[in-house]
Amino acid sequence: IEIIKAIIFGVVEGITEWLPVSSTGHLILLDEFLKLNTSPALGEAFTEEYMSMFEVVIQLGAILAVVVMFFGKLNPFSTKKSEGEKKNTWILWLKVAVASIPAALVGVVGDKVLEIATGKDIDGWIFNAVTVAAALIVYGVLFIIIERFQGNKGGAVQSVDGISYKQAMLIGCFQTLSIVPGTSRSGSTILGARLLDISRPAAAEFSFFLGIPAMFGASLIKGYG
């Protein structure tokens, strides 16, 4: 039965990862109703530490889907690309790296500082159903307001190649909001990009690319821990 539950968690993750609705938040809510057995007495059963890692690692499937789908665009070594196209691909990766800095600082350094100061890390303070429910409501309302405000404006930036380093850094700052469970990573970055006058397609595509180092990094940290 635990395997069936794990599959259900995976399905929910797969559906919600690339929608701006917070996959982590939905996994936390699902855990309130369909708890995986965390009793160590069952040998193969999930411990709480494993569950924490499990929630991050299952997101790798969604990340790998993006890597496969956009492999041609993301591969700077492709023999089908001209030297100029290869250069643009490296520039895109550099912008993704720049945008990843704020979340890395807050998520890794800030987490350790908070744990030293209070005895509990970020997960210990805010990973609960109440926080998720509040965040889902707040960001749902923000989406409605910003979309109404933006209307059908195409945006001054029409492609990811047109995103500047400054805009990439600011989008990365918006990504730090997703540390709060219930705050969608893709949702916060897309909202940030739209406020910076970037078109919906470019905002969504850059958000997908930005998720690759974010989720791989989170998975490595959880796995190492």
Side-chain angles (χ1 to χ4, degrees), residues 11-224:
V11 170
V12 171
E13 158 58 29
I15 293 172
T16 59
E17 178 61 41
W18 299 115
L19 295 175
V21 294
S22 179
S23 59
T24 301
H26 279 76
L27 291 179
I28 292 173
L29 293 178
L30 178 61
D31 189 54
E32 291 291 315
F33 300 98
L34 188 70
K35 285 189 176 294
L36 287 168
N37 196 327
T38 58
S39 172
L42 295 181
E44 292 292 327
F46 299 97
T47 63
E48 289 187 10
E49 292 78 10
Y50 182 86
M51 187 62 197
S52 177
M53 179 184 71
F54 174 81
E55 290 176 350
V56 173
V57 173
I58 62 171
Q59 298 177 61
L60 279 175
I63 299 301
L64 290 174
V66 172
V67 173
V68 171
M69 181 176 294
F70 292 99
F71 186 75
K73 186 177 182 67
L74 295 172
N75 180 16
F77 304 106
S78 174
T79 56
K80 297 179 181 179
K81 290 183 176 180
S82 66
E83 290 303 314
E85 290 173 329
K86 290 179 181 179
K87 180 180 178 181
N88 288 337
T89 303
W90 282 116
I91 291 174
L92 173 60
W93 274 113
L94 186 56
K95 290 175 183 177
V96 169
V98 168
S100 301
I101 293 173
L105 290 175
V106 175
V108 178
V109 179
D111 191 57
K112 291 298 182 184
V113 171
L114 183 64
E115 185 173 9
I116 292 172
T118 67
K120 290 195 295 185
D121 59 10
I122 294 174
D123 290 11
W125 281 106
I126 60 177
F127 268 57
N128 56 70
V130 174
T131 302
V132 171
L136 288 173
I137 293 170
V138 169
Y139 283 95
V141 172
L142 285 176
F143 253 110
I144 294 172
I145 293 173
I146 292 175
E147 281 300 309
R148 285 185 178 275
F149 174 75
Q150 292 286 350
N152 292 318
K153 288 172 58 178
V157 178
Q158 292 294 315
S159 70
V160 291
D161 293 330
I163 295 175
S164 68
Y165 288 102
K166 179 180 178 180
Q167 288 173 324
M169 176 62 78
L170 290 173
I171 292 172
C173 290
F174 276 95
Q175 184 175 229
T176 63
L177 298 174
S178 65
I179 291 174
V180 178
T183 303
S184 168
R185 188 203 59 77
S186 60
S188 59
T189 53
I190 290 173
L191 283 177
R194 292 293 287 150
L195 289 173
L196 295 171
D197 205 20
I198 297 171
S199 69
R200 286 193 188 99
E205 193 170 334
F206 190 73
S207 177
F208 291 166
F209 299 159
L210 191 53
I212 297 173
M215 294 316 306
F216 269 114
S219 299
L220 285 174
I221 290 172
K222 289 292 185 181
Y224 178 77

